[in-house]
Amino acid sequence: MELPATLSRSPATSQARAGEEAYTDAQAEAGPPPRRSAAFYSSVFAQIEEIGWERVVSATGDDGVSCLTFRVVDEKGRIHLLEITLPMGYPASPPSIAAEVPYLPKIQWSKSSRLKDVICQFQEHLKMLQEFWSTMDEIDKVLWVVDATKPTYAMSHRLLALGDNCYILLHVDPRKPSSLPECRFLGPDGKLVRLIMNWRKNRKRWDTKKKFHENLAGVLDFALPAPPSVSSVKDDEQAECGICYAKHLPVDDELGAHSGCATDYTCENPSCSRAFHSVCLRDWLRSITTTRQSFDVLFGNCPYCSDPVAVKVADR
């Protein structure tokens, strides 16, 4: 279908180019951007040292450290990436944060605060969200979720299949996950009438002490279908390496016998059980100053739960 003449992109492109030229001229007049002081770098590096360099996922920004991403593990072993952006006025000006969570905490900051304080406040926030994530995990495990095969920790909605081309879109309140969720029914009107009537009639029966899926089935007076393949999806998710985030190593002659291999090492901590490629874990341990070597074995700590791990230095 052809776009109407009024939607032509040419004038917008010309305006954009003119705007870019004006912006370039303004930059030239303003001079080079302000630079960070040497004291800033020394302070930031010292603060990262307090947290632990092994928890740093990336350091970016115009100066290389103004945007820091840390790996944070909650009490259930879930891995979160916390992005901390340092403004030009840091530490007098507070940093800003970003993370895959349903809502962000309000960071308490003073001139004497440090990056580790941000991490600690974020960890406390994660504790408050444990019930919410447990509820979402229950939904994903027991019910037939069709909108996302691997939802993020920020998502508070799920689209459930009910059969006969009927669906229910749920929104769970992250602050009160055990409360009655918001819902919207989707599908043929004739098949939804009974479900909608039951929802309106029985919603007051919602019991916050019951499990979420039991409550939902009771209110709808309907047997909710289970997911078609729970075990295969769960096994597939656990196969990803906790370091390179890939299921299989690349096919490469330099990897020798490990070329194209799946994960072959699992943390022995039951609450962690993260899977790794032994090659990735070996390279990661070599980059950590606290790693010890005895004969042909490297001894260190799991990147996620800090429990002891050990891997051979090289295949023989």
Side-chain angles (χ1 to χ4, degrees):
M1 186 174 103
E2 295 183 0
L3 291 174
T6 53
L7 296 182
S8 172
R9 299 178 184 271
S10 298
T13 303
S14 301
Q15 292 174 7
R17 288 175 178 171
E20 289 175 2
E21 292 174 358
Y23 179 70
T24 303
D25 292 341
Q27 275 188 316
E29 292 177 4
R35 295 183 177 180
R36 309 272 191 176
S37 66
F40 165 82
Y41 291 100
S42 299
S43 175
V44 170
F45 291 152
Q47 292 179 55
I48 294 176
E49 188 73 29
E50 292 175 346
I51 298 169
W53 284 96
E54 69 277 4
R55 298 177 67 180
V56 178
V57 176
S58 66
T60 59
D62 295 336
D63 49 21
V65 293
S66 60
C67 185
L68 303 168
T69 302
F70 294 92
R71 181 186 290 109
V72 182
V73 184
D74 66 25
E75 58 190 29
K76 294 294 184 180
R78 300 183 183 94
I79 300 11
H80 306 270
L81 298 181
L82 175 63
E83 183 181 284
I84 304 178
T85 302
L86 310 180
M88 285 301 300
Y90 181 86
S93 300
S96 59
I97 64 171
E100 286 284 354
V101 291
Y103 63 97
L104 290 168
K106 185 177 180 181
I107 298 299
Q108 302 297 320
W109 187 261
S110 66
K111 291 184 178 180
S112 61
S113 296
R114 301 175 72 81
L115 291 176
K116 66 178 182 180
D117 300 318
V118 178
I119 299 290
C120 289
Q121 291 180 53
F122 183 67
Q123 288 177 318
E124 288 300 315
H125 184 64
L126 295 181
K127 290 181 181 179
M128 297 172 58
L129 291 168
Q130 292 306 304
E131 184 184 356
F132 166 72
W133 283 320
S134 294
T135 299
M136 303 309 285
D137 286 346
E138 176 194 335
I139 293 173
D140 293 335
K141 180 180 179 181
V142 178
L143 303 178
W144 190 355
V145 179
V146 295
D147 61 335
T149 55
K150 195 173 183 180
T152 68
Y153 292 138
M155 291 173 58
S156 58
H157 70 271
R158 293 292 190 272
L159 180 64
L160 307 181
L162 303 177
D164 291 333
N165 292 321
C166 295
Y167 303 88
I168 180 172
L169 180 62
L170 297 175
H171 173 73
V172 180
D173 186 348
R175 292 177 172 83
K176 298 179 180 179
S178 61
S179 63
L180 181 75
E182 296 179 7
C183 76
R184 180 183 177 187
F185 294 91
L186 307 170
D189 293 339
K191 297 179 179 179
L192 292 176
V193 173
R194 186 172 67 88
L195 290 173
I196 295 175
M197 289 181 61
N198 288 344
W199 177 264
R200 292 174 178 172
K201 181 178 64 175
N202 301 328
R203 57 188 303 169
K204 291 184 179 179
R205 298 181 184 176
W206 190 276
D207 186 352
T208 56
K209 296 179 181 179
K210 288 185 177 181
K211 292 183 178 181
F212 187 94
H213 70 280
E214 293 176 352
N215 259 326
L216 186 60
V219 170
L220 293 176
D221 192 17
F222 180 80
L224 299 170
S229 56
V230 175
S231 59
S232 62
V233 171
K234 186 176 181 181
D235 292 342
D236 204 33
E237 287 178 354
Q238 290 185 344
E240 292 184 355
C241 174
I243 295 175
C244 73
Y245 303 109
K247 297 174 185 176
H248 298 273
L249 289 170
V251 177
D252 191 331
D253 291 340
E254 293 185 1
L255 293 174
H258 292 281
S259 177
C261 285
T263 52
D264 55 356
Y265 187 97
T266 304
C267 176
E268 295 181 358
N269 181 354
S271 63
C272 177
S273 298
R274 291 295 299 188
F276 304 97
H277 298 117
S278 57
V279 174
C280 296
L281 185 59
R282 181 175 65 208
D283 291 344
W284 186 84
L285 288 174
R286 282 173 169 165
S287 69
I288 306 302
T289 57
T290 55
T291 298
R292 297 175 293 103
Q293 180 173 344
S294 177
F295 297 99
D296 63 342
V297 179
L298 292 174
F299 296 89
N301 301 99
C302 174
Y304 291 88
C305 69
S306 298
D307 266 27
V309 293
V311 65
K312 287 188 176 182
V313 173
D315 299 318
R316 298 188 185 278

